PDB file of all heavy atoms in Angstrom:
ATOM      1  N   ASN A   1      19.345  10.287 -22.446  1.00  0.00           N
ATOM      2  CA  ASN A   1      20.148   9.266 -21.769  1.00  0.00           C
ATOM      3  C   ASN A   1      19.731   9.080 -20.312  1.00  0.00           C
ATOM      4  O   ASN A   1      20.483   8.531 -19.513  1.00  0.00           O
ATOM      5  CB  ASN A   1      21.641   9.570 -21.871  1.00  0.00           C
ATOM      6  CG  ASN A   1      22.025  10.898 -21.242  1.00  0.00           C
ATOM      7  OD1 ASN A   1      21.163  11.740 -20.970  1.00  0.00           O
ATOM      8  ND2 ASN A   1      23.312  11.116 -21.027  1.00  0.00           N
ATOM      9  N   GLY A   2      18.502   9.548 -19.999  1.00  0.00           N
ATOM     10  CA  GLY A   2      17.967   9.338 -18.657  1.00  0.00           C
ATOM     11  C   GLY A   2      16.538   8.846 -18.665  1.00  0.00           C
ATOM     12  O   GLY A   2      15.895   8.803 -17.627  1.00  0.00           O
ATOM     13  N   GLN A   3      16.030   8.470 -19.841  1.00  0.00           N
ATOM     14  CA  GLN A   3      14.645   8.019 -19.908  1.00  0.00           C
ATOM     15  C   GLN A   3      14.557   6.510 -19.732  1.00  0.00           C
ATOM     16  O   GLN A   3      15.577   5.824 -19.612  1.00  0.00           O
ATOM     17  CB  GLN A   3      14.010   8.459 -21.221  1.00  0.00           C
ATOM     18  CG  GLN A   3      14.488   7.733 -22.458  1.00  0.00           C
ATOM     19  CD  GLN A   3      13.767   8.263 -23.702  1.00  0.00           C
ATOM     20  OE1 GLN A   3      13.917   9.425 -24.079  1.00  0.00           O
ATOM     21  NE2 GLN A   3      12.976   7.404 -24.340  1.00  0.00           N
ATOM     22  N   ALA A   4      13.337   5.997 -19.686  1.00  0.00           N
ATOM     23  CA  ALA A   4      13.123   4.560 -19.488  1.00  0.00           C
ATOM     24  C   ALA A   4      13.876   3.768 -20.546  1.00  0.00           C
ATOM     25  O   ALA A   4      13.870   4.105 -21.724  1.00  0.00           O
ATOM     26  CB  ALA A   4      11.637   4.240 -19.553  1.00  0.00           C
ATOM     27  N   GLY A   5      14.543   2.704 -20.093  1.00  0.00           N
ATOM     28  CA  GLY A   5      15.310   1.862 -21.012  1.00  0.00           C
ATOM     29  C   GLY A   5      16.715   2.330 -21.250  1.00  0.00           C
ATOM     30  O   GLY A   5      17.489   1.645 -21.933  1.00  0.00           O
ATOM     31  N   SER A   6      17.079   3.477 -20.699  1.00  0.00           N
ATOM     32  CA  SER A   6      18.465   3.949 -20.851  1.00  0.00           C
ATOM     33  C   SER A   6      19.368   3.249 -19.854  1.00  0.00           C
ATOM     34  O   SER A   6      18.927   2.770 -18.805  1.00  0.00           O
ATOM     35  CB  SER A   6      18.556   5.464 -20.624  1.00  0.00           C
ATOM     36  OG  SER A   6      18.256   5.802 -19.272  1.00  0.00           O
ATOM     37  N   VAL A   7      20.655   3.149 -20.196  1.00  0.00           N
ATOM     38  CA  VAL A   7      21.680   2.888 -19.198  1.00  0.00           C
ATOM     39  C   VAL A   7      22.036   4.280 -18.699  1.00  0.00           C
ATOM     40  O   VAL A   7      22.651   5.065 -19.417  1.00  0.00           O
ATOM     41  CB  VAL A   7      22.895   2.156 -19.784  1.00  0.00           C
ATOM     42  CG1 VAL A   7      23.945   1.947 -18.707  1.00  0.00           C
ATOM     43  CG2 VAL A   7      22.474   0.820 -20.391  1.00  0.00           C
ATOM     44  N   TYR A   8      21.614   4.602 -17.499  1.00  0.00           N
ATOM     45  CA  TYR A   8      21.507   5.986 -17.053  1.00  0.00           C
ATOM     46  C   TYR A   8      22.785   6.797 -17.284  1.00  0.00           C
ATOM     47  O   TYR A   8      23.878   6.394 -16.883  1.00  0.00           O
ATOM     48  CB  TYR A   8      21.116   6.035 -15.577  1.00  0.00           C
ATOM     49  CG  TYR A   8      20.807   7.421 -15.090  1.00  0.00           C
ATOM     50  CD1 TYR A   8      19.607   8.040 -15.426  1.00  0.00           C
ATOM     51  CD2 TYR A   8      21.725   8.118 -14.324  1.00  0.00           C
ATOM     52  CE1 TYR A   8      19.323   9.330 -14.993  1.00  0.00           C
ATOM     53  CE2 TYR A   8      21.453   9.406 -13.876  1.00  0.00           C
ATOM     54  CZ  TYR A   8      20.251  10.015 -14.220  1.00  0.00           C
ATOM     55  OH  TYR A   8      19.983  11.299 -13.798  1.00  0.00           O
ATOM     56  N   LYS A   9      22.598   7.926 -17.983  1.00  0.00           N
ATOM     57  CA  LYS A   9      23.635   8.903 -18.303  1.00  0.00           C
ATOM     58  C   LYS A   9      24.728   8.348 -19.224  1.00  0.00           C
ATOM     59  O   LYS A   9      25.749   8.991 -19.429  1.00  0.00           O
ATOM     60  CB  LYS A   9      24.286   9.478 -17.027  1.00  0.00           C
ATOM     61  CG  LYS A   9      23.395  10.451 -16.229  1.00  0.00           C
ATOM     62  CD  LYS A   9      23.321  11.802 -16.898  1.00  0.00           C
ATOM     63  CE  LYS A   9      22.548  12.822 -16.073  1.00  0.00           C
ATOM     64  NZ  LYS A   9      23.334  13.482 -15.051  1.00  0.00           N
ATOM     65  N   GLN A  10      24.498   7.129 -19.804  1.00  0.00           N
ATOM     66  CA  GLN A  10      25.510   6.567 -20.695  1.00  0.00           C
ATOM     67  C   GLN A  10      24.953   6.216 -22.069  1.00  0.00           C
ATOM     68  O   GLN A  10      25.517   6.616 -23.083  1.00  0.00           O
ATOM     69  CB  GLN A  10      26.162   5.336 -20.061  1.00  0.00           C
ATOM     70  CG  GLN A  10      26.949   5.658 -18.798  1.00  0.00           C
ATOM     71  CD  GLN A  10      27.775   4.478 -18.308  1.00  0.00           C
ATOM     72  OE1 GLN A  10      28.386   3.761 -19.090  1.00  0.00           O
ATOM     73  NE2 GLN A  10      27.807   4.281 -16.994  1.00  0.00           N
ATOM     74  N   HIS A  11      23.858   5.461 -22.119  1.00  0.00           N
ATOM     75  CA  HIS A  11      23.310   5.025 -23.401  1.00  0.00           C
ATOM     76  C   HIS A  11      21.812   5.300 -23.439  1.00  0.00           C
ATOM     77  O   HIS A  11      21.059   4.738 -22.637  1.00  0.00           O
ATOM     78  CB  HIS A  11      23.545   3.529 -23.629  1.00  0.00           C
ATOM     79  CG  HIS A  11      24.980   3.153 -23.775  1.00  0.00           C
ATOM     80  ND1 HIS A  11      25.703   3.375 -24.928  1.00  0.00           N
ATOM     81  CD2 HIS A  11      25.840   2.556 -22.900  1.00  0.00           C
ATOM     82  CE1 HIS A  11      26.943   2.936 -24.766  1.00  0.00           C
ATOM     83  NE2 HIS A  11      27.052   2.442 -23.545  1.00  0.00           N
ATOM     84  N   ALA A  12      21.381   6.151 -24.368  1.00  0.00           N
ATOM     85  CA  ALA A  12      19.953   6.347 -24.592  1.00  0.00           C
ATOM     86  C   ALA A  12      19.355   5.080 -25.195  1.00  0.00           C
ATOM     87  O   ALA A  12      20.047   4.339 -25.898  1.00  0.00           O
ATOM     88  CB  ALA A  12      19.724   7.528 -25.534  1.00  0.00           C
ATOM     89  N   PRO A  13      18.075   4.804 -24.942  1.00  0.00           N
ATOM     90  CA  PRO A  13      17.455   3.650 -25.584  1.00  0.00           C
ATOM     91  C   PRO A  13      17.316   3.887 -27.087  1.00  0.00           C
ATOM     92  O   PRO A  13      17.229   5.030 -27.550  1.00  0.00           O
ATOM     93  CB  PRO A  13      16.081   3.562 -24.905  1.00  0.00           C
ATOM     94  CG  PRO A  13      15.796   4.953 -24.448  1.00  0.00           C
ATOM     95  CD  PRO A  13      17.125   5.543 -24.087  1.00  0.00           C
ATOM     96  N   LEU A  14      17.288   2.811 -27.835  1.00  0.00           N
ATOM     97  CA  LEU A  14      17.123   2.923 -29.289  1.00  0.00           C
ATOM     98  C   LEU A  14      15.763   3.504 -29.640  1.00  0.00           C
ATOM     99  O   LEU A  14      15.629   4.234 -30.636  1.00  0.00           O
ATOM    100  CB  LEU A  14      17.290   1.543 -29.941  1.00  0.00           C
ATOM    101  CG  LEU A  14      18.671   0.896 -29.802  1.00  0.00           C
ATOM    102  CD1 LEU A  14      18.639  -0.545 -30.311  1.00  0.00           C
ATOM    103  CD2 LEU A  14      19.722   1.708 -30.553  1.00  0.00           C
ATOM    104  N   VAL A  15      14.745   3.154 -28.855  1.00  0.00           N
ATOM    105  CA  VAL A  15      13.393   3.674 -29.057  1.00  0.00           C
ATOM    106  C   VAL A  15      12.724   3.840 -27.694  1.00  0.00           C
ATOM    107  O   VAL A  15      13.183   3.291 -26.693  1.00  0.00           O
ATOM    108  CB  VAL A  15      12.520   2.720 -29.928  1.00  0.00           C
ATOM    109  CG1 VAL A  15      13.049   2.643 -31.347  1.00  0.00           C
ATOM    110  CG2 VAL A  15      12.438   1.329 -29.313  1.00  0.00           C
ATOM    111  N   ASN A  16      11.643   4.598 -27.667  1.00  0.00           N
ATOM    112  CA  ASN A  16      10.810   4.738 -26.477  1.00  0.00           C
ATOM    113  C   ASN A  16       9.677   3.725 -26.588  1.00  0.00           C
ATOM    114  O   ASN A  16       8.782   3.872 -27.420  1.00  0.00           O
ATOM    115  CB  ASN A  16      10.258   6.158 -26.392  1.00  0.00           C
ATOM    116  CG  ASN A  16       9.376   6.380 -25.165  1.00  0.00           C
ATOM    117  OD1 ASN A  16       9.034   5.441 -24.443  1.00  0.00           O
ATOM    118  ND2 ASN A  16       8.986   7.627 -24.931  1.00  0.00           N
ATOM    119  N   ALA A  17       9.713   2.680 -25.771  1.00  0.00           N
ATOM    120  CA  ALA A  17       8.715   1.606 -25.838  1.00  0.00           C
ATOM    121  C   ALA A  17       7.769   1.630 -24.641  1.00  0.00           C
ATOM    122  O   ALA A  17       7.158   0.612 -24.294  1.00  0.00           O
ATOM    123  CB  ALA A  17       9.410   0.250 -25.917  1.00  0.00           C
ATOM    124  N   CYS A  18       7.619   2.800 -24.007  1.00  0.00           N
ATOM    125  CA  CYS A  18       6.815   2.890 -22.790  1.00  0.00           C
ATOM    126  C   CYS A  18       5.327   2.714 -23.061  1.00  0.00           C
ATOM    127  O   CYS A  18       4.786   3.199 -24.060  1.00  0.00           O
ATOM    128  CB  CYS A  18       7.024   4.243 -22.121  1.00  0.00           C
ATOM    129  SG  CYS A  18       8.373   4.267 -20.938  1.00  0.00           S
ATOM    130  N   LYS A  19       4.673   2.039 -22.130  1.00  0.00           N
ATOM    131  CA  LYS A  19       3.223   1.954 -22.102  1.00  0.00           C
ATOM    132  C   LYS A  19       2.677   3.044 -21.186  1.00  0.00           C
ATOM    133  O   LYS A  19       3.423   3.690 -20.442  1.00  0.00           O
ATOM    134  CB  LYS A  19       2.780   0.572 -21.621  1.00  0.00           C
ATOM    135  CG  LYS A  19       3.193  -0.566 -22.544  1.00  0.00           C
ATOM    136  CD  LYS A  19       2.689  -1.910 -22.027  1.00  0.00           C
ATOM    137  CE  LYS A  19       3.069  -3.040 -22.969  1.00  0.00           C
ATOM    138  NZ  LYS A  19       2.558  -4.358 -22.498  1.00  0.00           N
ATOM    139  N   GLU A  20       1.365   3.224 -21.226  1.00  0.00           N
ATOM    140  CA  GLU A  20       0.762   4.305 -20.454  1.00  0.00           C
ATOM    141  C   GLU A  20       0.861   4.034 -18.959  1.00  0.00           C
ATOM    142  O   GLU A  20       0.989   2.879 -18.528  1.00  0.00           O
ATOM    143  CB  GLU A  20      -0.692   4.497 -20.876  1.00  0.00           C
ATOM    144  CG  GLU A  20      -1.583   3.304 -20.641  1.00  0.00           C
ATOM    145  CD  GLU A  20      -2.968   3.497 -21.216  1.00  0.00           C
ATOM    146  OE1 GLU A  20      -3.123   4.337 -22.127  1.00  0.00           O
ATOM    147  OE2 GLU A  20      -3.889   2.803 -20.752  1.00  0.00           O
ATOM    148  N   PRO A  21       0.800   5.088 -18.132  1.00  0.00           N
ATOM    149  CA  PRO A  21       0.898   4.925 -16.674  1.00  0.00           C
ATOM    150  C   PRO A  21      -0.147   3.947 -16.142  1.00  0.00           C
ATOM    151  O   PRO A  21      -1.267   3.855 -16.651  1.00  0.00           O
ATOM    152  CB  PRO A  21       0.633   6.345 -16.155  1.00  0.00           C
ATOM    153  CG  PRO A  21       0.977   7.247 -17.291  1.00  0.00           C
ATOM    154  CD  PRO A  21       0.640   6.499 -18.537  1.00  0.00           C
ATOM    155  N   GLY A  22       0.244   3.204 -15.115  1.00  0.00           N
ATOM    156  CA  GLY A  22      -0.651   2.233 -14.510  1.00  0.00           C
ATOM    157  C   GLY A  22      -0.666   0.897 -15.199  1.00  0.00           C
ATOM    158  O   GLY A  22      -1.372  -0.026 -14.764  1.00  0.00           O
ATOM    159  N   THR A  23       0.120   0.739 -16.289  1.00  0.00           N
ATOM    160  CA  THR A  23       0.183  -0.502 -17.053  1.00  0.00           C
ATOM    161  C   THR A  23       1.474  -1.242 -16.719  1.00  0.00           C
ATOM    162  O   THR A  23       2.538  -0.634 -16.612  1.00  0.00           O
ATOM    163  CB  THR A  23       0.146  -0.206 -18.568  1.00  0.00           C
ATOM    164  OG1 THR A  23      -1.025   0.567 -18.858  1.00  0.00           O
ATOM    165  CG2 THR A  23       0.135  -1.482 -19.374  1.00  0.00           C
ATOM    166  N   TRP A  24       1.387  -2.559 -16.566  1.00  0.00           N
ATOM    167  CA  TRP A  24       2.595  -3.335 -16.289  1.00  0.00           C
ATOM    168  C   TRP A  24       3.500  -3.374 -17.515  1.00  0.00           C
ATOM    169  O   TRP A  24       3.029  -3.532 -18.646  1.00  0.00           O
ATOM    170  CB  TRP A  24       2.236  -4.762 -15.857  1.00  0.00           C
ATOM    171  CG  TRP A  24       1.760  -4.810 -14.435  1.00  0.00           C
ATOM    172  CD1 TRP A  24       0.481  -4.953 -14.003  1.00  0.00           C
ATOM    173  CD2 TRP A  24       2.573  -4.684 -13.267  1.00  0.00           C
ATOM    174  NE1 TRP A  24       0.437  -4.928 -12.620  1.00  0.00           N
ATOM    175  CE2 TRP A  24       1.713  -4.767 -12.153  1.00  0.00           C
ATOM    176  CE3 TRP A  24       3.943  -4.512 -13.052  1.00  0.00           C
ATOM    177  CZ2 TRP A  24       2.163  -4.691 -10.835  1.00  0.00           C
ATOM    178  CZ3 TRP A  24       4.409  -4.437 -11.740  1.00  0.00           C
ATOM    179  CH2 TRP A  24       3.524  -4.519 -10.654  1.00  0.00           C
ATOM    180  N   GLN A  25       4.790  -3.223 -17.279  1.00  0.00           N
ATOM    181  CA  GLN A  25       5.799  -3.227 -18.322  1.00  0.00           C
ATOM    182  C   GLN A  25       6.891  -4.228 -17.959  1.00  0.00           C
ATOM    183  O   GLN A  25       7.048  -4.588 -16.788  1.00  0.00           O
ATOM    184  CB  GLN A  25       6.400  -1.830 -18.491  1.00  0.00           C
ATOM    185  CG  GLN A  25       5.348  -0.735 -18.598  1.00  0.00           C
ATOM    186  CD  GLN A  25       5.903   0.551 -19.163  1.00  0.00           C
ATOM    187  OE1 GLN A  25       6.599   0.556 -20.172  1.00  0.00           O
ATOM    188  NE2 GLN A  25       5.572   1.660 -18.513  1.00  0.00           N
ATOM    189  N   THR A  26       7.649  -4.670 -18.944  1.00  0.00           N
ATOM    190  CA  THR A  26       8.679  -5.673 -18.699  1.00  0.00           C
ATOM    191  C   THR A  26      10.045  -5.178 -19.146  1.00  0.00           C
ATOM    192  O   THR A  26      10.168  -4.464 -20.147  1.00  0.00           O
ATOM    193  CB  THR A  26       8.375  -6.989 -19.441  1.00  0.00           C
ATOM    194  OG1 THR A  26       8.409  -6.760 -20.856  1.00  0.00           O
ATOM    195  CG2 THR A  26       7.022  -7.537 -19.061  1.00  0.00           C
ATOM    196  N   TYR A  27      11.044  -5.578 -18.376  1.00  0.00           N
ATOM    197  CA  TYR A  27      12.439  -5.498 -18.804  1.00  0.00           C
ATOM    198  C   TYR A  27      12.996  -6.927 -18.836  1.00  0.00           C
ATOM    199  O   TYR A  27      12.813  -7.689 -17.874  1.00  0.00           O
ATOM    200  CB  TYR A  27      13.294  -4.698 -17.826  1.00  0.00           C
ATOM    201  CG  TYR A  27      13.243  -3.193 -17.970  1.00  0.00           C
ATOM    202  CD1 TYR A  27      13.707  -2.384 -16.944  1.00  0.00           C
ATOM    203  CD2 TYR A  27      12.751  -2.579 -19.123  1.00  0.00           C
ATOM    204  CE1 TYR A  27      13.685  -1.006 -17.051  1.00  0.00           C
ATOM    205  CE2 TYR A  27      12.720  -1.205 -19.231  1.00  0.00           C
ATOM    206  CZ  TYR A  27      13.182  -0.421 -18.192  1.00  0.00           C
ATOM    207  OH  TYR A  27      13.158   0.948 -18.297  1.00  0.00           O
ATOM    208  N   ASP A  28      13.658  -7.269 -19.915  1.00  0.00           N
ATOM    209  CA  ASP A  28      14.473  -8.471 -19.968  1.00  0.00           C
ATOM    210  C   ASP A  28      15.905  -8.010 -20.238  1.00  0.00           C
ATOM    211  O   ASP A  28      16.171  -7.392 -21.275  1.00  0.00           O
ATOM    212  CB  ASP A  28      13.965  -9.424 -21.048  1.00  0.00           C
ATOM    213  CG  ASP A  28      12.640 -10.049 -20.647  1.00  0.00           C
ATOM    214  OD1 ASP A  28      12.656 -10.938 -19.770  1.00  0.00           O
ATOM    215  OD2 ASP A  28      11.590  -9.644 -21.186  1.00  0.00           O
ATOM    216  N   ILE A  29      16.768  -8.274 -19.283  1.00  0.00           N
ATOM    217  CA  ILE A  29      18.127  -7.725 -19.284  1.00  0.00           C
ATOM    218  C   ILE A  29      19.130  -8.866 -19.330  1.00  0.00           C
ATOM    219  O   ILE A  29      19.088  -9.769 -18.491  1.00  0.00           O
ATOM    220  CB  ILE A  29      18.361  -6.867 -18.016  1.00  0.00           C
ATOM    221  CG1 ILE A  29      17.351  -5.705 -17.969  1.00  0.00           C
ATOM    222  CG2 ILE A  29      19.792  -6.350 -17.966  1.00  0.00           C
ATOM    223  CD1 ILE A  29      17.356  -4.940 -16.644  1.00  0.00           C
ATOM    224  N   ILE A  30      20.015  -8.822 -20.310  1.00  0.00           N
ATOM    225  CA  ILE A  30      21.109  -9.787 -20.401  1.00  0.00           C
ATOM    226  C   ILE A  30      22.393  -9.033 -20.079  1.00  0.00           C
ATOM    227  O   ILE A  30      22.720  -8.039 -20.749  1.00  0.00           O
ATOM    228  CB  ILE A  30      21.184 -10.446 -21.788  1.00  0.00           C
ATOM    229  CG1 ILE A  30      19.923 -11.290 -22.058  1.00  0.00           C
ATOM    230  CG2 ILE A  30      22.402 -11.348 -21.875  1.00  0.00           C
ATOM    231  CD1 ILE A  30      18.775 -10.563 -22.671  1.00  0.00           C
ATOM    232  N   TYR A  31      23.088  -9.499 -19.076  1.00  0.00           N
ATOM    233  CA  TYR A  31      24.234  -8.748 -18.535  1.00  0.00           C
ATOM    234  C   TYR A  31      25.474  -9.631 -18.469  1.00  0.00           C
ATOM    235  O   TYR A  31      25.421 -10.761 -17.967  1.00  0.00           O
ATOM    236  CB  TYR A  31      23.888  -8.251 -17.129  1.00  0.00           C
ATOM    237  CG  TYR A  31      25.035  -7.595 -16.394  1.00  0.00           C
ATOM    238  CD1 TYR A  31      25.449  -6.305 -16.713  1.00  0.00           C
ATOM    239  CD2 TYR A  31      25.696  -8.270 -15.373  1.00  0.00           C
ATOM    240  CE1 TYR A  31      26.496  -5.706 -16.033  1.00  0.00           C
ATOM    241  CE2 TYR A  31      26.737  -7.674 -14.680  1.00  0.00           C
ATOM    242  CZ  TYR A  31      27.133  -6.387 -15.022  1.00  0.00           C
ATOM    243  OH  TYR A  31      28.174  -5.808 -14.345  1.00  0.00           O
TER     244      TYR A  31
END
């Protein structure tokens, strides 16, 4: 519940979708 894509300390992400270091990544957040 503290990894990338988590809502910190509340919701773990459904999956780990991380790319390797140095690679651009995207978040699209609907709030």
Side-chain angles (χ1 to χ4, degrees):
N1 60 345
Q3 72 180 64
S6 66
V7 178
Y8 188 75
K9 288 284 185 84
Q10 295 189 41
H11 294 283
L14 296 172
V15 294
N16 180 351
C18 270
K19 296 182 178 181
E20 62 186 22
T23 304
W24 283 104
Q25 311 197 48
T26 64
Y27 278 164
D28 289 286
I29 300 171
I30 295 88
Y31 173 76

